[in-house]
Amino acid sequence: MKKCEHLAIIMDGNGRWAKAQGLPRSAGHLAGADNVRTIAIAASELGIRYLTIYAFSTENWKRSKDEVSYLMKLPAVFFEKYMQEFVDRGFRINIIGEMEELPASTAAVLRNAMARSAANTGLQLNIAMNYGAHREIILAARRYAEDVKNGIVQNDIDEEGFERYLMTADMPPVDYLIRTSGEQRISNYLLWQIAYAELCFVPESWPEFTPEVLRRCMEEYEHRDRRFGGVTNE
Ligand code: IPE
Ligand code: IPE
Ligand code: MG
């Protein structure tokens, strides 16, 4: 199998899926959260080491108060249902995004999930919560500037050096990015990390994205010719 260490997913289409069933948007988010467990297990079984999922963007605060509040309560429901299983499977939970701006109770749930699984060595499930790539890069630049000012580092940073200031420090770059629900855009996700990722856009909404669809996407990945600017001799 072609190496895919790091898979990123933009889980889109929960709202449209719910609407099509005559359900409120919140029902789509709940079904979507359940699907995170299903796909994390499937990804782990496919040998993927890092799965980074987009749960809430820095732009998603624009949604109605009710929807935002529902999304902020979902992590508690999600981890209450599945945390024990994740621990049993050796999954390590990690959060990327600005947790300081989340409601205190949401941040506490997320910190607890990270702490409970910190020593695990199986699939690393990165959940992007209040994450935006522009914000991530700005925060990294600020921290770097601060370190230069304090004489901790020289002003001679390279790509590898800069990566250490990102929220994905110590992770490999994204190999494959999948977006569900037909939209063909990046929506401020992992802009640095996807520099050479292969991209895959599927029509299925996130609640409809089954392990079978994931396998189909991975099969497609197998046939991609990753050149990284070089030339392949075929
Ligand atoms: C993705 O589904 C979940 C989040 C962005 C939180 P959406 O809520 O964006 O669903 P659509 O795109 O409106 O159908
Ligand atoms: C991207 O989906 C963010 C998440 C999946 C959390 P959106 O539904 O917010 O993206 P746009 O607004 O359609 O670009
Ligand atoms: Mg959407």
Side-chain angles (χ1 to χ4, degrees):
M1 190 179 142
K2 184 184 262 111
K3 193 178 79 134
C4 182
E5 264 193 296
H6 191 167
L7 172 67
I9 303 184
I10 301 175
M11 311 184 290
D12 199 13
N14 292 348
R16 279 165 281 174
W17 175 85
K19 194 172 175 204
Q21 325 276 314
L23 297 169
R25 292 179 61 84
S26 57
H29 295 314
L30 185 61
D34 287 336
N35 202 36
V36 168
R37 166 191 170 265
T38 307
I39 295 303
I41 293 169
S44 165
E45 285 169 356
L46 285 164
I48 286 156
R49 304 283 307 143
Y50 297 84
L51 174 64
T52 304
I53 54 166
Y54 210 178
F56 192 89
S57 75
T58 48
E59 287 72 39
N60 286 147
W61 296 105
K62 292 177 191 158
R63 297 186 178 200
S64 76
K65 210 169 136 254
D66 281 358
E67 183 166 348
V68 169
S69 136
Y70 186 83
L71 289 167
M72 290 301 148
K73 287 186 189 123
L74 249 188
V77 177
F78 175 72
F79 285 118
E80 174 65 31
K81 269 200 234 174
Y82 302 126
M83 192 60 202
Q84 188 57 51
E85 185 184 2
F86 291 163
V87 169
D88 294 342
R89 289 181 181 272
F91 291 3
R92 182 173 174 205
I93 310 296
N94 183 54
I95 308 300
I96 60 170
E98 280 180 283
M99 272 200 283
E100 305 73 32
E101 290 176 1
L102 298 173
S105 55
T106 310
V109 164
L110 298 173
R111 281 185 216 288
N112 179 50
M114 284 199 282
R116 264 191 80 187
S117 62
N120 290 352
T121 55
L123 175 82
Q124 177 160 328
L125 177 62
N126 297 309
I127 304 177
M129 191 76 192
N130 190 28
Y131 172 88
H134 281 177
R135 192 77 195 144
E136 175 188 36
I137 293 168
I138 286 169
L139 293 175
R142 279 193 201 162
R143 281 180 43 227
Y144 176 60
E146 196 65 26
D147 281 355
V148 172
K149 195 174 81 186
N150 295 328
I152 296 166
V153 293
Q154 299 282 309
N155 192 8
D156 61 355
I157 202 163
D158 61 7
E159 285 82 346
E160 221 177 285
F162 192 72
E163 274 165 8
R164 285 198 277 274
Y165 288 92
L166 295 174
M167 293 166 179
T168 53
D170 302 322
M171 297 179 207
V174 173
D175 294 300
Y176 201 30
L177 171 68
I178 299 172
R179 183 173 187 143
T180 62
S181 213
E183 244 62 69
Q184 302 192 6
R185 54 177 170 262
I186 302 299
S187 302
N188 201 16
Y189 197 38
L190 301 172
L191 293 179
W192 175 284
Q193 297 85 345
I194 62 169
Y196 260 105
E198 296 294 323
L199 309 179
C200 177
F201 300 98
V202 298
E204 288 85 356
S205 68
W206 174 245
E208 295 169 324
F209 187 84
T210 59
E212 192 43 47
V213 184
L214 173 64
R215 275 188 286 275
R216 223 172 54 217
C217 294
M218 296 317 295
E219 224 167 275
E220 185 180 326
Y221 175 77
E222 284 285 325
H223 296 105
R224 300 285 180 94
D225 179 17
R226 300 190 74 187
R227 298 185 177 186
F228 299 98
V231 178
T232 36
N233 302 309
E234 290 190 88

